[in-house]
Amino acid sequence: MQVSVYRYNPETDQKPYMQDYTLDLPEGKDLMVLDVLNLLKEQDVTLSFRRSCREGVCGSDGMNINGRNGLACITPMSEALNGKKKLVLRPLPGLPVIRDLVIDMSLFYQQYEKVKPYLQNNEPAPAIERLQSPEDRAKLDGLYECILCACCSTSCPSFWWNPERFVGPAGLLQAYRFLADSRDNATEERLSELDDPFSVFRCRGIMNCVNVCPKGLNPTRAIGHIRSMLLKNAT
Amino acid sequence: MVKNITSFTGNGVADWLVQRVSAVILAAYTLFLVVWFLALPEWSYEAWSGLFAQGWMKIFTVLAVLSFVAHAWIGIWTATTDYLKSNTAVRILVQLAVILVLFIYLIVTFDAVWGV
Ligand code: SF4
Ligand code: SF4
Ligand code: FES
């Protein structure tokens, strides 16, 4: 089995390069890409990548697998190869590389922080808890499940070109998650932070984000909802 | 909130709406001209200038060129802020050059429409 991995150590390497490895995979088993990385790590301890939960929950092993962003731990080799002979692993595109497959996610988190991803409610708190009807709760389905793996934002050309000004699909999905929450009453303030020509409107509806999200979420639809809310407010 | 002064209206919602509405107007204008040409028994300068001599056609044409200018500016402004990032002077120069060209289009159209 041929595996080609993006390598870069800023302390010793002038520039990044692709390193080829040969690996014997156990027969009759469809390994996950993360298993393959762990086998490579046994062969070459200098190889760096992030992982934690190994079951698609923590969001730390987002990477570019044969040209497509995804989580290594829940991407089976059969799907990753899709008939090809070679596995090619690169870091998520568009953000600075710290080392090998490890990227600096600061810009991604800054955009997340911008949308104030927490409930805001200035009414006095009730004695026990803020109740929500099942219908209102259902509006959060498809929004709250995001694990911030950054697969979507780093596949979005608009985010590549303007990562400091365009919030990006992951941040916007969360922006809508709080706009849609019946317990949050900062809707006006939230919208007024988003109506400039960059934060939301840099989305060109390319839908790369929808295409790669390992949790099957749909940031484009959330962005459409935000746009409708902005339009309703401004006209 | 991201600040920008060179976008068409400075507001994302307004730019978005203008881009959509202008697209519809341009499509209607183009479609109208195509249909008009096809329906014409014989193409002649008289028929052409007769069309533009009518008040409503002047208004429609000015509306179309205004839509064109707005639509083009929003699109090109987006492209310049996507791809001309490293050098601010280059970006501003390109933006000014495009504004100049669009301004010339506008004046030439006004001139042509009121010359008929
Ligand atoms: S929306 Fe999907 S791809 Fe984007 S960060 Fe969340 S889980 Fe990852
Ligand atoms: S739909 Fe919007 S956010 Fe998603 S990849 Fe395309 S431009 Fe980016
Ligand atoms: S290791 Fe946690 S999502 Fe893959």
Side-chain angles (χ1 to χ4, degrees):
Chain A
M1 168 86 221
Q2 291 287 319
V3 188
S4 171
V5 186
Y6 178 102
R7 301 299 310 270
Y8 181 54
N9 178 349
E11 280 162 24
T12 56
D13 301 334
Q14 290 273 323
K15 53 180 188 195
Y17 60 96
M18 298 301 291
Q19 182 168 351
D20 286 320
Y21 296 90
T22 314
L23 203 64
D24 289 323
L25 293 187
E27 288 287 321
K29 238 180 153 186
D30 195 7
L31 291 183
M32 296 293 173
V33 173
L34 182 62
D35 301 326
V36 172
L37 268 170
N38 285 330
L39 291 173
L40 286 181
K41 181 96 179 167
E42 284 172 16
Q43 210 182 93
D44 177 357
V45 289
T46 68
L47 178 62
S48 304
F49 53 92
R50 289 192 181 110
R51 86 278 172 276
S52 177
C53 70
R54 55 101 187 99
E55 55 184 5
V57 172
C58 71
S60 46
D61 62 346
M63 60 185 70
N64 189 274
I65 305 163
N66 281 20
R68 188 186 153 89
N69 291 355
L71 296 172
C73 60
I74 53 169
T75 306
M77 284 297 285
S78 56
E79 187 190 310
L81 290 174
N82 195 15
K84 302 229 170 48
K85 288 263 164 325
K86 198 172 178 181
L87 180 69
V88 184
L89 300 175
R90 296 171 193 270
L92 289 176
L95 290 175
V97 173
I98 296 174
R99 183 175 165 157
D100 300 342
L101 300 175
V102 178
I103 54 165
D104 178 357
M105 311 243 299
S106 307
L107 281 166
F108 176 79
Y109 291 135
Q110 275 161 26
Q111 294 300 348
Y112 177 56
E113 200 181 339
K114 254 200 218 165
V115 307
K116 305 209 171 79
Y118 41 82
L119 274 183
Q120 289 177 274
N121 192 324
N122 50 18
E123 282 160 18
I128 301 176
E129 60 187 323
R130 290 188 202 280
L131 292 176
Q132 194 170 39
S133 71
E135 293 74 34
D136 282 339
R137 168 60 190 77
K139 290 183 186 148
L140 308 182
D141 288 342
L143 303 171
Y144 78 90
E145 299 93 327
C146 170
I147 56 172
L148 296 175
C149 64
C151 287
C152 56
S153 291
T154 58
S155 69
C156 170
S158 286
F159 188 73
W160 295 340
W161 312 148
N162 285 292
E164 51 317 86
R165 295 194 274 187
F166 173 49
V167 173
L172 290 171
L173 189 83
Q174 289 319 296
Y176 184 62
R177 182 246 170 276
F178 289 97
L179 284 168
D181 196 313
S182 62
R183 297 162 301 177
D184 186 288
N185 62 18
T187 308
E188 289 290 323
E189 293 87 328
R190 291 180 183 282
L191 288 176
S192 69
E193 287 294 310
L194 294 172
D195 71 353
D196 62 87
F198 280 95
S199 304
V200 173
F201 288 93
R202 265 309 143 120
C203 169
R204 324 279 350 151
I206 307 158
M207 293 179 84
N208 281 4
C209 50
V210 182
N211 189 28
V212 299
C213 177
K215 307 302 273 183
L217 308 179
N218 189 332
T220 309
R221 192 192 305 138
I223 294 168
H225 288 312
I226 298 177
R227 209 161 33 214
S228 310
M229 289 177 91
L230 285 168
L231 205 59
K232 197 171 157 197
N233 241 18
T235 50
Chain B
M1 173 74 78
V2 179
K3 290 250 176 322
N4 185 289
I5 56 154
T6 51
S7 86
F8 186 61
T9 63
N11 176 284
V13 195
D15 274 16
W16 185 86
L17 194 62
V18 170
Q19 201 175 25
R20 262 81 202 155
V21 173
S22 59
V24 172
I25 294 173
L26 284 172
Y29 191 75
T30 313
L31 207 68
F32 167 76
L33 277 186
V34 170
V35 171
W36 184 84
F37 264 112
L38 293 180
L40 207 63
E42 198 181 338
W43 294 5
S44 68
Y45 175 76
E46 283 67 38
W48 184 237
S49 70
L51 173 66
F52 281 87
Q54 298 176 52
W56 63 267
M57 188 58 188
K58 288 185 200 283
I59 294 172
F60 197 14
T61 305
V62 169
L63 191 65
V65 77
L66 289 177
S67 299
F68 175 80
V69 167
H71 195 87
W73 178 244
I74 295 168
I76 291 177
W77 172 82
T78 305
T80 60
T81 51
D82 269 350
Y83 298 106
L84 302 176
K85 299 275 294 292
S86 51
N87 191 325
T88 306
V90 169
R91 184 172 62 253
I92 294 179
L93 278 177
V94 171
Q95 290 179 342
L96 289 178
V98 172
I99 290 176
L100 181 67
V101 170
L102 292 176
F103 182 71
I104 293 173
Y105 279 179
L106 197 66
I107 299 300
V108 168
T109 310
F110 273 54
D111 190 49
V113 165
W114 269 280
V116 183

